[in-house]
Amino acid sequence: DIVMTQSPDSLAVSLGERATINCKSSQSVLNRSNKENYLAWYQQKPGQPPKVLIYWSSTRESGVPDRFSGSGSGTDFTLTISSLQSEDVAVYYCQQYYTTPITFGQGTRLEI
Amino acid sequence: EVQLVESGGGLVQPGGSLKLSCAASGFDFSASPMHWVRQASGKGLEWIGQIRIKTKNYATAYGTSMKGRFTISRDDSKNTAYLQMNSLKTEDTAVYYCARPKGFCLNDACYHWFLSWGQGTLVTVSS
C-alpha cells in the first residue's frame, strides 16, 4: 500500500497569511505516460463529509476559491492557501489514486 | 442535484453483521462506480472499497483490512449501493460514507477521487 504522510499534523495561521500543508507519498504517484500526478486534496469541516479541493495535484475543483492551490510531483506535494480566511478552518487530507488501495494522509488540522 | 443518503447504521455487538445502504439521486447511478469510505471519531479517512458498473461485471476492490469481511454490492434498479459488513470488530466503529467518484477506469484499474459524499451513517460496534 502507498503510505501518505502529511506535515504538520496541525498548524495555526493568522488571518490573511499563507498556510502550507505538505503531503509525502511512500512511492511516486506520477504516471510517466500522461505526466499526471494522481493526487487529490480535501477539506473537511466539523460534522461534514470531506469536500474535494484539488485533483491531478494542481487542478482546482469547480467552485473552489483560487486562494487554494496545489503543487508538487512524484512523491512530494503541497497545498497552499494564499490568504487564510476564517472559513478555511478545517482538517485537510491528501489522497492518492495512483493505485488501489486508495490511501489518505492522516490529516492536517488548520486553525486561526 | 447529486444526493447520496446512507442508512442502516446503528449499534451492533462484536462478531455481528450489518448492511448499510446508499441511496443515490441526481445522476446516472448505473453509469457510475461507487465507493465506501469510513472515518473513526476524531480520526482520518479510510477507503473501504469500490464497485464498478454492469459493463465491468460489477467488479469490486477492497482496502487491505476489509478483505474477506466486507462486501460491496449495488442494485441499479433502486439506485442504491450496499455495504455488507460481517464479523464486526470494535475497531470498525466509525462513520461510513458512500461517495461518487470522478476520474476514469482503464482496463482493470480505476483512478478515482471523490466528488460527492453522503452525510454518513454511524456504526458502533460494542457489547
Side-chain angles (χ1 to χ4, degrees), chain A residues 21-77:
Chain A
I21 298 170
N22 301 301
C23 175
K24 188 175 185 68
S25 57
S26 62
Q27 63 188 75
S28 176
V29 298
L30 171 65
N31 183 314
R32 296 189 184 280
S33 298
N34 62 12
K35 296 181 172 56
E36 292 284 7
N37 288 282
Y38 288 39
L39 184 111
W41 287 96
Y42 298 84
Q43 175 193 66
Q44 186 178 31
K45 297 181 179 180
Q48 297 183 19
K51 170 189 170 184
V52 65
L53 300 173
I54 302 283
Y55 55 94
W56 297 130
S57 75
S58 62
T59 301
R60 203 178 300 115
E61 175 62 32
S62 175
V64 173
D66 61 7
R67 63 180 182 273
F68 291 91
S69 63
S71 62
S73 185
T75 61
D76 293 281
F77 301 91

Side-chain angles (χ1 to χ4, degrees), chain A residues 1 42 44 50 55 95 97, chain B residues 39 64 111-114 117-118:
Chain A
D1 299 4
Y42 298 84
Q44 186 178 31
Y55 55 94
Q95 174 226 329
Y97 49 97
Chain B
Q39 185 172 37
T64 305
Y111 306 95
H112 288 153
W113 62 96
F114 305 117
W117 300 66

Side-chain angles (χ1 to χ4, degrees), chain B residues 24-85:
Chain B
S25 60
F27 64 101
D28 186 355
F29 179 78
S30 66
S32 178
M34 292 296 294
H35 293 250
W36 287 90
V37 177
R38 71 181 182 182
Q39 185 172 37
S41 181
K43 303 296 185 182
L45 301 164
E46 183 177 22
W47 181 70
I48 296 171
Q50 70 173 41
I51 185 165
R52 294 184 67 174
I53 60 176
K54 182 178 182 179
T55 54
K56 295 299 180 182
N57 298 315
Y58 301 123
T60 55
Y62 297 94
T64 305
S65 63
M66 287 72 169
K67 285 179 186 174
R69 295 193 302 125
F70 289 9
T71 302
I72 298 174
S73 61
R74 62 192 294 161
D75 185 339
D76 291 343
S77 69
K78 295 182 179 179
N79 284 358
T80 301
Y82 302 98
L83 176 63
Q84 175 70 47
M85 303 183 292

